[in-house]
Amino acid sequence: MIYKFSKFLYISCGLVFVLAISSCSRLITIKSDGVVIFPAPPDSARIQYLTSFSSSENVVGKRSSFASFVLGDAPVNSITKPYGVEVHGSKIYVSDPGIKGLEIIDLEKHTFRNFIPTGKGELQLPLNCVVDANENLYVADGKRFQIVIFDKTGKYLNCLGEIDNFKPTDVFVTDSLVLVTNLKNNKINVYDKNSLKLKYSFPDVESGDEGYLYSPTNLCAADGKIYVTDFGDFKIKIYDIKGTYIRSVGTYGNALGQMARPKGIAVDKESNLFVVDAGFDNTQIFDKNGKLLMYFGGPYKGPGYMWLPASVAIDYTNMNYFQKFVDESYTLKYLIYVTNQYGPEKVNVYGMIESKKK
């Protein structure tokens, strides 16, 4: 009798283990009904909405009825009010002021976890983040007034920022520099990556000069240039690495190519500039010369559209995870992630596509 009971217990435990593993073993995402493409037909499609993430269920899925009976319902972690989004390797990092932390989605491991540090690393208003080549995480905290740095395990490493006259909203890291938007002095602060000491700030011009920053909120660097969202001047301003002004993209207005509430920006491998605009609930794309190519999104009316978007990121690494959502008429070139602070779809996933040759 003892042998039979032990055997039953062994099989039962094994079954529970298998159920637990299998219930979290594949990427489950929300797919819209029909194909959502931009621009709308009859124009040639260039971007397809693929899917979205709003909670852990979109990554690990729901447990089956039997698994729920045996194990209970799986806890659901929701993306609350996302702002920044960053991609590094197979991981998607979502800065979420709603939880005073981040959601970290690992596409390779099919995991979803909340990162809410305590102690020295406690966050108050995490707006944007970036991950460097060593997988260290840099978080721009607009209420703590610091850039908070963690290692790849989530351990607090350090922080940077002046005690006074400093309000960071975005951060970008190069091989040797840490670039930070500072709303307090309307400049970009540039720090040495190793010492974390301030090296210089820019632009060094007066209000009224075309290179002056009125409200720098977001930035990125590509091809030796630094792109800065000037929320107060409704433009994206471009500088060289030393902070010398080059030119700007966009003007204030509601026509195509104009901006009302520009926020997150990103640059692809062809030097095309992506600009999120919370005023129009869309993302515009400009070529390397500042010419408008197209826009996608628009006020929310269903999956694929936007609701107070905040940030955008480009991803060339993880296309295989989303290939199943791509319409068979198109070839996927790369992925685009856009965060929505409101609405049912918190992180939209789009594909830059091109028609297959017949």
Side-chain angles (χ1 to χ4, degrees), residues 40-68:
D43 292 335
S44 298
R46 298 187 62 182
I47 289 180
Q48 181 190 342
Y49 167 72
L50 302 178
T51 187
S52 65
F53 298 103
S54 294
S55 74
S56 56
E57 285 187 344
N58 305 140
V59 180
V60 302
K62 293 182 178 180
R63 286 177 178 166
S64 67
S65 299
F66 183 65
S68 295

Side-chain angles (χ1 to χ4, degrees), residues 139-155:
V139 181
D141 194 311
K143 193 173 182 180
R144 178 170 165 161
F145 306 117
Q146 289 179 323
I147 302 298
V148 191
I149 308 170
F150 306 88
D151 71 11
K152 63 182 180 180
T153 69
K155 178 183 176 182

Side-chain angles (χ1 to χ4, degrees), residues 269-282:
K269 290 182 178 179
E270 297 176 353
S271 298
N272 295 317
L273 171 66
F274 291 68
V275 182
V276 169
D277 197 313
F280 302 135
D281 290 316
N282 68 14

Side-chain angles (χ1 to χ4, degrees), residues 252-266:
Y252 174 71
N254 58 8
L256 293 177
Q258 296 183 315
M259 303 176 189
R261 297 176 67 188
K263 290 189 175 182
I265 54 177

Side-chain angles (χ1 to χ4, degrees), residues 19 27 45 54 58 72 78 92 133 142 145 163 179 182 188 207 213 236 268 276 325 330-331 341 349-350:
L19 286 171
L27 184 67
S54 294
N58 305 140
S78 297
I92 303 172
F145 306 117
I163 297 176
L179 312 173
N182 185 2
I188 305 302
S207 177
L213 290 169
I236 308 304
D268 70 9
V276 169
F325 297 110
Y330 307 118
T331 298
Q341 292 187 275
V349 184
Y350 301 88

Side-chain angles (χ1 to χ4, degrees), residues 29-40:
T29 46
I30 300 171
K31 187 173 183 180
S32 62
D33 296 328
V35 179
V36 180
I37 54 175
F38 302 94

Side-chain angles (χ1 to χ4, degrees), residues 78-98:
S78 297
I79 300 176
T80 305
K81 194 173 183 181
Y83 201 92
V85 59
E86 161 76 348
V87 183
H88 185 84
S90 65
K91 295 180 181 178
I92 303 172
Y93 299 77
V94 181
S95 301
D96 191 343

